[in-house]
Amino acid sequence: MDDNLRREVILDNYSNPENKGRVEDKDYIYVNTNNSSCIDNIDLFLDVKDNIIKDIKFDGEACAISTASTSIMTKELIGKTLEEAKKFIENFYNMIEERPYDEDLLNEALAFSEIYKQANRTTCATLPYKGILNAIKKYEEEH
Amino acid sequence: MDFKQDFPMLKKDLIYFDNGATTFKPYSVIKAMDDYYENYSANAHRGDYNISLKVDMAYEGVRDKVKDFINAKKREEIIFTSGATESLNMIARGFFEKYLEAGDEVLITNSEHASNILPWFRLADTNKIKINYINLDDSLHVTVKNVLNSITPNTKVIALAGITNVVGDVRPIKEITKLAHERNIFVVLDGAQTVPHSKTDVQDLDIDFMAFSGHKMCGPTGVGVLYGKEELLEKLDPINYGGGMNESFDDETKVYLKELPQRLEAGTPNIAGVIGLGAAIDYLNKVGMDNIYLKEIELKRYLIEKLSKIKHIDIINPEAESGVLAFNVDGIFSQDVAVFLDKYNICVRAGNHCAKILKKDIGVKNTVRVSLYFYNTKEEIDSLVELLSDKDKILKEMI
Ligand SMILES: Cc1ncc(COP(=O)(O)O)c(C=O)c1O
């Protein structure tokens, strides 16, 4: 992805985020995720059935990077098995933390491939992943 | 006046609008601290030799300076601490933990800094006191009427910032103290955002305790002041026990404590910090506290005048008569605005400014905050306004 495309993908997902909303359904796992600089604050709702992520919804107040990252994450993870999802997440962290990663797996999330250059924003990009890992853990503990 | 010559940080290619968080230090402050480390680096209160005596004189000299600066009655009423936070904790734990009983009420507001909330929360836990909140009016101000409405027969303490770091509203402390004292209620002033910005007269305000930090008034980090009326400080128990604060002790664990102020300053103090604070007070006095106040108000009015012309900017607290302005750019998250401005070397704060419970009142959780000090300029404000006026540019460059 070139610079312009990355910017476009992030802004698109920020202005028109996918899977935004709150869920009351008890089948969903709820987690809140926020970063220590106390600004971004996102609620995540995860629905898993038969080891497959059926749905993710999110809500909250967050910056462009966090919001876009969450929107992209939900799109990418819905439909994946938990194992596939974990692999995706690991790959994403590898990219953000400047380790070797598999480009072909990450699709739109590649929009954050240069974010490591802005140290104070990497926590924004990884915020939803931190949250969804917690939600998956919660699910696995309960099942 | 041109302050550029006085501050190393003002010579950098930087526009600094986060003075509520901390302020820049003039050369005179840095020099005074260096001078201590380079030329008379000994401990205080140990005056058996010449340079140690010099330390004592410098350190205790600052106590006199602080006393005059806030017009305390006596030098014993000035206790050096590590900052406003420690001072507020000492007030809550050292004095009120002993004094307050289950069911007693402490009045604060939603816009207090965490440092003036959490020490009281702790007393809610240990002493089973109740914390009540004074309602803020539509412009987020504390009014005397609302204070009166919040007082009950159980109210024992009113603890307020003179000016909040969140929306910059100025509180009518003198009136509040008067009506509080008529009802035997103590008043604790969090002076972190007032002492640096205008003349403070603790006797005129008649407050019982006050806390403030050196680093928000051109002084170094790690030093602050606890002020208390002498008769109250006498009853304030030390939190720290150790060297420098005891007269003697015997092997039956009986300790005889020193008099004020040493009793509340256990251990080797932040000597360089206190000396730096003294130099900061000298500097502020040279500029003049009245000039500082007027300059900030002038800059703030100028900023509001310019920003209010921009359609996509929503100012949260235009009425506040202080150097703090909170606003949002329509549809853009505050942190994104701050990141955008940072690309042009403009430092502003985004977030909820440590007043996490205020969001109920202002309806928005996060704002961009500009907090001015006397060394800011209209030219700097012009640069800020120019960048903020172009929303497309912000959207394009914020990521
Ligand atoms: C109103 C207010 N009170 C207390 C504090 C705490 O000051 P310090 O962190 O220097 O102890 C601050 C600092 O931001 C403040 O703005």
Side-chain angles (χ1 to χ4, degrees):
Chain A
M1 261 191 218
D2 70 13
D3 222 27
N4 276 334
L5 184 57
R6 278 198 302 271
R7 189 186 303 284
E8 215 171 285
V9 169
I10 293 175
L11 277 182
D12 262 3
N13 277 282
Y14 176 51
S15 319
N16 302 300
E18 297 266 341
N19 297 310
K20 195 126 196 260
R22 307 189 69 81
V23 186
E24 301 296 337
D25 189 338
K26 292 262 181 325
D27 285 349
Y28 282 68
I29 308 267
Y30 161 77
V31 291
N32 173 269
T33 183
N34 57 63
N35 71 30
S36 57
S37 65
C38 79
I39 301 186
D40 293 326
N41 198 315
I42 292 177
D43 292 329
L44 288 169
F45 305 86
L46 167 72
D47 184 26
V48 182
K49 277 199 191 74
D50 303 326
N51 208 41
I52 290 173
I53 295 181
K54 291 282 178 208
D55 192 21
I56 307 174
K57 289 271 183 297
F58 79 100
D59 195 23
E61 271 205 63
C63 69
I65 302 288
S66 290
T67 306
S69 185
T70 313
S71 164
I72 292 170
M73 179 191 80
T74 58
K75 285 187 278 182
E76 292 295 332
L77 295 190
I78 291 173
K80 285 195 163 56
T81 64
L82 289 181
E83 288 66 38
E84 288 164 348
K86 283 185 203 163
K87 191 158 169 219
F88 183 92
I89 296 167
E90 192 188 326
N91 236 305
F92 186 80
Y93 271 102
N94 284 345
M95 175 178 80
I96 300 291
E97 289 164 8
E98 297 179 75
R99 288 186 295 267
Y101 65 96
D102 186 351
E103 268 190 42
D104 297 339
L105 275 182
L106 287 177
N107 303 326
E108 257 196 333
L110 284 175
F112 300 102
S113 61
E114 300 283 305
I115 206 84
Y116 67 88
K117 291 178 182 161
Q118 301 176 58
N120 56 350
R121 306 221 85 179
T122 55
T123 48
C124 307
T126 52
L127 182 69
Y129 292 88
K130 190 175 99 180
I132 210 73
L133 279 176
N134 276 335
I136 291 174
K137 196 165 145 229
K138 224 165 144 180
Y139 172 83
E140 288 174 338
E141 279 164 10
E142 287 169 17
H143 291 84
Chain B
M1 262 199 270
D2 181 17
F3 299 102
K4 260 204 167 64
Q5 292 316 309
D6 295 345
F7 291 81
M9 287 297 293
L10 290 181
K11 293 181 178 164
K12 315 230 177 272
D13 178 24
L14 201 70
I15 296 179
Y16 185 72
F17 286 139
D18 193 17
N19 293 288
T22 197
T23 56
F24 289 163
K25 327 300 172 199
Y27 283 108
S28 61
V29 167
I30 299 165
K31 268 220 209 89
M33 296 173 73
D34 282 354
D35 183 40
Y36 162 69
Y37 281 128
E38 288 173 11
N39 297 313
Y40 58 109
S41 192
N43 210 326
H45 315 307
R46 312 272 193 281
D48 295 333
Y49 43 91
N50 199 356
I51 56 168
S52 171
L53 195 65
K54 192 168 170 201
V55 173
D56 270 352
M57 305 225 320
Y59 185 86
E60 292 303 325
V62 177
R63 206 184 300 279
D64 292 319
K65 270 181 200 168
V66 173
K67 167 191 159 278
D68 292 340
F69 189 65
I70 61 171
N71 195 32
K73 222 185 251 166
K74 293 181 151 186
R75 61 193 314 283
E76 287 77 15
E77 296 177 327
I78 308 300
I79 309 297
F80 292 120
T81 66
S82 66
T85 300
E86 184 176 35
S87 304
L88 288 163
N89 276 280
M90 285 167 73
I91 295 165
R93 279 185 73 180
F95 186 84
F96 287 106
E97 188 172 302
K98 226 173 24 173
Y99 174 80
L100 296 179
E101 294 169 3
D104 284 349
E105 293 172 7
V106 175
L107 265 184
I108 60 173
T109 71
N110 274 336
S111 44
E112 297 314 303
H113 188 278
S115 296
N116 188 33
I117 298 179
L118 300 186
W120 302 113
F121 275 16
R122 190 179 168 278
L123 291 195
D125 216 29
T126 56
N127 290 33
K128 306 287 169 253
I129 64 160
K130 205 165 162 252
I131 291 159
N132 286 338
Y133 299 87
I134 302 165
N135 277 332
L136 305 176
D137 73 4
D138 289 343
S139 59
L140 301 171
H141 281 64
V142 170
T143 61
V144 170
K145 187 164 144 256
N146 282 348
V147 174
L148 279 172
N149 285 339
S150 310
I151 291 177
T152 77
N154 296 327
T155 306
K156 293 287 155 61
V157 189
I158 300 177
L160 292 177
I163 294 176
T164 68
N165 59 315
V166 195
V167 290
D169 55 309
V170 183
R171 274 80 180 268
I173 298 298
K174 192 172 169 180
E175 288 90 327
I176 292 173
T177 310
K178 184 159 179 294
L179 67 89
H181 285 167
E182 285 163 6
R183 292 161 178 79
N184 287 322
I185 299 168
F186 289 105
V187 177
V188 176
L189 177 60
D190 171 0
Q193 300 291 350
T194 44
V195 174
H197 301 282
S198 58
K199 177 86 194 110
T200 303
D201 183 333
V202 292
Q203 291 189 68
D204 181 54
L205 293 171
D206 197 28
I207 42 171
D208 299 302
F209 295 101
M210 179 169 80
F212 62 98
S213 292
H215 69 95
K216 292 184 199 281
M217 51 187 280
C218 297
T221 54
V223 67
V225 170
L226 157 62
Y227 160 82
K229 286 180 179 164
E230 190 186 24
E231 64 271 23
L232 301 178
L233 280 187
E234 288 290 359
K235 294 186 200 138
L236 194 147
D237 284 343
I239 308 240
N240 293 329
Y241 284 77
M245 55 85 77
N246 69 82
E247 205 65 80
S248 66
F249 49 93
D250 58 35
D251 53 11
E252 281 157 22
T253 69
K254 178 91 193 113
V255 199
Y256 302 90
L257 300 184
K258 281 192 178 157
E259 307 266 286
L260 290 175
Q262 276 76 27
R263 190 165 59 80
L264 295 173
E265 294 178 4
T268 298
N270 182 356
I271 299 168
V274 167
I275 288 169
L277 175 63
I281 290 175
D282 288 341
Y283 185 84
L284 295 182
N285 280 334
K286 202 176 83 197
V287 180
M289 290 312 291
D290 291 338
N291 295 333
I292 288 175
Y293 176 74
L294 292 174
K295 174 82 184 287
E296 278 177 33
I297 295 301
E298 185 190 335
L299 289 173
K300 165 83 170 282
R301 293 214 174 111
Y302 184 76
L303 174 62
I304 290 184
E305 182 196 315
K306 297 265 161 163
L307 280 187
S308 55
K309 292 195 182 119
I310 305 176
K311 271 200 324 291
H312 54 259
I313 291 203
D314 176 24
I315 302 177
I316 312 285
N317 60 332
E319 288 91 358
E321 282 283 296
S322 73
V324 179
L325 188 79
F327 64 90
N328 269 313
V329 180
D330 189 26
I332 303 183
F333 193 65
S334 61
Q335 192 187 17
D336 293 321
V337 177
V339 168
F340 163 75
L341 292 172
D342 182 45
K343 291 186 176 163
Y344 293 87
N345 289 336
I346 298 182
C347 312
V348 300
R349 190 76 184 275
N352 52 22
H353 318 306
C354 295
K356 298 190 185 224
I357 49 185
L358 184 68
K359 40 190 173 228
K360 291 186 266 217
D361 288 271
I362 51 180
V364 289
K365 288 183 191 159
N366 295 295
T367 62
V368 183
R369 180 186 72 181
V370 167
S371 50
L372 302 161
Y373 212 14
F374 62 89
Y375 46 60
N376 286 126
T377 63
K378 289 189 175 164
E379 291 71 40
E380 291 176 332
I381 291 177
D382 289 339
S383 306
L384 171 78
V385 170
E386 194 191 324
L387 284 167
L388 288 176
S389 63
D390 190 345
K391 189 170 165 185
D392 290 339
K393 189 180 166 80
I394 304 178
L395 276 169
K396 206 158 119 223
E397 297 181 10
M398 70 186 185
I399 49 172

